[in-house]
Amino acid sequence: MFKKLVIVVVSASLLFGCNSVLLGRYGEQNQTLEAFTQRVENVFKFQNSMTNAVMLMETEPSSMILDAEQKMQSVCEPLNEYASREMDGLSTDFTLQKRVEKTAISCEKAAQKLQTLLLSAH
């Protein structure tokens, strides 16, 4: 699913003349296509695991944890929207594809912050 995401993002970027794509680099960290594809896939899985961890907490989550989870959901919204549309067989537009490319690292950082809070809560 996410390999298709990267291919679509790259194809659209080529059509619009994105310099990073012309140089063979993708995402915020100018990664190779293979590295970027793997990173986006891993970020999606990681942020979903953090959402599950909050839902499965044995005690009521603190306001800090809830705030961090809400921020993560907001930052990861483009990635989640893309995945949802992909699973439903719906098309995605260029704007959404570019938002995914631009926010994958921010999504990962928000999930890492939530993970830190969850680990300190135990």
Side-chain angles (χ1 to χ4, degrees):
M1 172 168 77
F2 285 97
K3 289 182 182 179
K4 182 179 177 186
L5 160 69
V6 173
I7 290 169
V8 170
V9 169
V10 170
S11 297
S13 295
L14 280 172
L15 289 173
F16 290 91
C18 178
N19 287 336
S20 66
V21 173
L22 295 176
L23 298 173
R25 310 307 277 178
Y26 309 92
E28 295 175 351
Q29 296 184 337
N30 293 322
Q31 296 173 294
T32 65
L33 178 59
E34 183 178 329
F36 179 70
T37 301
Q38 188 62 52
R39 183 94 182 249
V40 170
E41 199 169 322
N42 289 340
V43 168
F44 179 76
K45 291 175 184 177
F46 179 52
Q47 63 95 21
N48 273 309
S49 72
M50 291 299 97
T51 296
N52 289 338
V54 171
M55 291 189 312
L56 296 174
M57 288 182 71
E58 293 179 11
T59 61
E60 185 69 26
S62 70
S63 62
M64 285 179 56
I65 289 174
L66 292 175
D67 289 345
E69 200 266 340
Q70 176 128 10
K71 175 152 176 63
M72 181 191 72
Q73 291 299 327
S74 177
V75 172
C76 298
E77 185 271 332
L79 180 57
N80 289 321
E81 181 181 346
Y82 184 93
S84 176
R85 293 186 66 78
E86 183 71 23
M87 286 185 263
D88 291 341
L90 301 172
S91 64
T92 57
D93 64 16
F94 177 73
T95 304
L96 176 58
Q97 295 162 8
K98 289 305 289 179
R99 284 183 20 214
V100 169
E101 185 178 1
K102 290 181 179 186
T103 61
I105 303 305
S106 299
C107 176
E108 181 179 44
K109 288 178 182 177
Q112 288 169 341
K113 180 177 181 179
L114 178 57
Q115 181 182 46
T116 299
L117 291 171
L118 289 169
L119 290 172
S120 68
H122 288 100

